[in-house]
């Protein structure tokens, strides 16, 4: 699991987003996901890409926002990096250390 605050959206109603969604559509989807979460939905992990040290959400932007609104602190993710396997190894080591309680979050 990783902290939601470590992830960045690329989709949303903000004009600077790579994929801009209308406020109406965005809010409709967020509300739907919030209801699913509150009903105990077993959510799939978010898919994030490591781009120059930033974890960008590729699949799960609406779920991320719904979790934030429901006061989640962490979620399951699948991380990929097209540039270097070494970058993924760094995240694996970081997450293993955090889970053991030996390191504060990034």
């Amino acid at each position: 699991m990783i902290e939601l605050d470590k992830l960045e959206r690329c989709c949303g109603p903000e004009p600077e987003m790579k994929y801009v969604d209308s406020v109406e559509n965005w809010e409709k989807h967020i509300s739907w996901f919030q209801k699913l979460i509150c009903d105990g939905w077993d959510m799939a992990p978010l898919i994030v890409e490591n781009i120059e040290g930033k974890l960008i959400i590729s699949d799960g932007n609406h779920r991320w926002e719904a979790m934030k609104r429901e006061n989640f602190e962490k979620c399951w993710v699948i991380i990929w990096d097209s540039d270097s396997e070494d970058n993924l190894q760094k995240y694996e080591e970081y997450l293993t250390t955090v889970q053991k309680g030996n390191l504060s979050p990034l």
Side-chain angles (χ1 to χ4, degrees), residues 32-79:
W32 182 64
F33 280 119
Q34 283 181 282
K35 181 180 179 338
L36 289 172
I37 289 168
C38 289
D39 289 345
W41 178 44
D42 187 19
M43 182 181 355
L46 306 185
I47 299 175
V48 299
E49 181 178 12
N50 178 34
I51 301 175
E52 298 177 1
K54 295 180 181 179
L55 295 175
I56 309 298
I57 302 167
S58 296
D59 181 48
N61 289 274
H62 295 89
R63 289 178 281 150
W64 180 90
E65 182 66 26
M67 286 187 283
K68 290 287 281 187
R69 293 183 187 186
E70 292 300 321
N71 299 311
F72 279 54
E73 293 181 10
K74 297 180 180 182
C75 69
W76 291 105
V77 297
I78 297 171
I79 302 173

Side-chain angles (χ1 to χ4, degrees), residues 17 22 25 28 31 37 42 49 58 60 67 78 92-93:
M17 290 291 164
S22 70
N25 192 53
K28 181 177 85 173
S31 295
I37 289 168
D42 187 19
E49 181 178 12
S58 296
M67 286 187 283
I78 297 171
E92 181 180 1
E93 290 169 3

